[in-house]
Amino acid sequence: MKIIMLGAPGAGKGTQAEKICEKYKLIHISTGDIFRENIKNNTELGKLAKGYMDAGELVPDEVVIDLVVDRITKKDCEDGFVLDGFPRTIPQAESFDEALAKSDMKIDYAINVEVADEVIINRISGRRACPKCSAIYHTEFNPPKVEGVCDNDGAEIIQRNDDKPETVLNRLKVYHEQTQPLIDYYENKDCLRTVDGSKSTSEVFDKIVNILG
Ligand code: AP5
């Protein structure tokens, strides 16, 4: 199964992608995580991405497209993957479709996790993430067992640099301008499924499982 997660920043794409991958044994590909890992390791890609991410802007299309196409053609993706954070612009989606067609692949579902902007602000302000394994927490809705510490590996969980209020507002603006048009794009391809992302994590997941079967 090949799945794309759509939705605003903080809608819960990453949270649901993790659960889908665990249940259906798919590979989770988060472009945001790939960039954060590169920033942590101070690679050339990381240096390039950091300025855009800290400002809440998108990394240029050509950088992201090559990265994702390279990743999904690796052997471990043969049985399927969940793309979380890609595509994010119409040019990314079009280039991706061309690349998929060349490899005789197609997207089965684009899952749109729909959440109002007011809910997003609350979710993002409480989000914490593990810098080691990328596990996602929320101070109120999904706290770790021990405050401030990742359940998986004991690392100190942190607030993302781009989760500061002023950056979040720009990320939302960029989402509405550049990413939201993808909802129509995938609707026209008959693979769009929308779920109400304002419900609890498990309720949202149940809806997704109903869709995926
Ligand atoms: P990325 O890391 O992809 O960030 P994003 O899309 O802005 O999405 P988020 O990770 O913020 O949110 P999410 O929807 O995954 O929500 P989560 O599950 O964490 O991208 C970061 C940056 O990288 C971009 O701004 C850009 O610069 C660059 N980039 C990445 N991909 C790119 C691309 N393709 N092109 C160009 N640039 C790119 O949930 C949020 C919080 O809410 C968590 O605390 C969670 O615990 C909580 N939560 C989740 N679900 C629920 C629920 N149902 N109820 C209560 N709380 C919940």
Side-chain angles (χ1 to χ4, degrees), residues 7-16 30-33 35-36 49 52-53 56-61 64 84-88 92 123-124 126-128 136-138 141-142 160 162-163 171 197-201 204:
K13 304 181 294 294
T15 301
Q16 296 300 331
S30 157
T31 40
D33 283 349
F35 290 136
R36 280 184 286 278
Y52 294 101
M53 291 175 76
E57 297 292 334
L58 297 181
V59 175
D61 285 342
V64 195
D84 162 16
F86 179 93
R88 245 180 162 100
Q92 285 183 18
R123 283 200 187 163
I124 291 193
R127 172 170 45 200
R128 300 292 180 270
I136 306 162
Y137 299 93
H138 192 282
F141 308 124
N142 179 28
R160 270 168 46 177
D162 59 346
D163 278 354
R171 284 166 63 199
S198 67
K199 304 273 194 246
S200 72
T201 301
V204 179

Side-chain angles (χ1 to χ4, degrees), residues 132-147:
K132 217 165 164 186
C133 72
S134 304
I136 306 162
Y137 299 93
H138 192 282
T139 48
E140 186 185 343
F141 308 124
N142 179 28
K145 292 188 184 99
V146 178
E147 196 185 330

Side-chain angles (χ1 to χ4, degrees), residues 66-92:
D66 290 349
L67 185 113
V68 174
V69 170
D70 180 58
R71 181 67 191 87
I72 59 134
T73 44
K74 294 248 156 49
K75 196 159 174 44
D76 63 345
C77 286
E78 270 175 6
D79 291 336
F81 51 80
V82 178
L83 277 171
D84 162 16
F86 179 93
R88 245 180 162 100
T89 63
I90 296 284
Q92 285 183 18

Side-chain angles (χ1 to χ4, degrees), residues 8-207:
K13 304 181 294 294
T15 301
Q16 296 300 331
E18 272 181 16
K19 293 170 80 64
I20 296 169
C21 289
E22 197 185 337
K23 180 172 171 69
Y24 295 94
K25 306 282 171 262
L26 303 174
I27 299 292
H28 181 188
I29 304 171
S30 157
T31 40
D33 283 349
I34 295 174
F35 290 136
R36 280 184 286 278
E37 184 66 21
N38 276 275
I39 291 172
K40 197 168 78 185
N41 295 329
N42 207 24
T43 66
E44 286 308 312
L45 177 64
K47 286 180 203 159
L48 186 145
K50 187 173 178 358
Y52 294 101
M53 291 175 76
D54 285 352
E57 297 292 334
L58 297 181
V59 175
D61 285 342
E62 57 279 13
V63 177
V64 195
I65 293 164
D66 290 349
L67 185 113
V68 174
V69 170
D70 180 58
R71 181 67 191 87
I72 59 134
T73 44
K74 294 248 156 49
K75 196 159 174 44
D76 63 345
C77 286
E78 270 175 6
D79 291 336
F81 51 80
V82 178
L83 277 171
D84 162 16
F86 179 93
R88 245 180 162 100
T89 63
I90 296 284
Q92 285 183 18
E94 288 173 345
S95 302
F96 188 52
D97 277 345
E98 280 170 29
L100 285 172
K102 274 188 206 150
S103 308
D104 232 359
M105 290 196 256
K106 77 173 200 26
I107 293 300
D108 299 297
Y109 297 103
I111 310 264
N112 175 31
V113 184
E114 201 171 50
V115 178
D117 285 6
E118 309 81 76
V119 179
I120 299 271
I121 309 272
N122 187 20
R123 283 200 187 163
I124 291 193
S125 64
R127 172 170 45 200
R128 300 292 180 270
C130 174
K132 217 165 164 186
C133 72
S134 304
I136 306 162
Y137 299 93
H138 192 282
T139 48
E140 186 185 343
F141 308 124
N142 179 28
K145 292 188 184 99
V146 178
E147 196 185 330
V149 175
C150 178
D151 293 346
N152 300 335
D153 51 34
E156 188 187 344
I157 56 174
I158 54 166
Q159 184 167 37
R160 270 168 46 177
N161 249 353
D162 59 346
D163 278 354
K164 310 225 158 66
E166 59 283 11
T167 314
V168 171
L169 289 180
N170 194 41
R171 284 166 63 199
L172 274 172
K173 180 169 167 276
V174 168
Y175 167 76
H176 289 302
E177 286 171 3
Q178 300 195 48
T179 308
Q180 210 168 14
L182 290 177
I183 294 173
D184 284 345
Y185 182 90
Y186 286 106
E187 175 86 74
N188 290 334
K189 293 195 172 285
D190 280 337
C191 62
L192 184 82
R193 304 287 185 277
T194 294
V195 293
D196 178 357
S198 67
K199 304 273 194 246
S200 72
T201 301
S202 55
E203 284 173 295
V204 179
F205 186 57
D206 287 347
K207 292 280 182 233

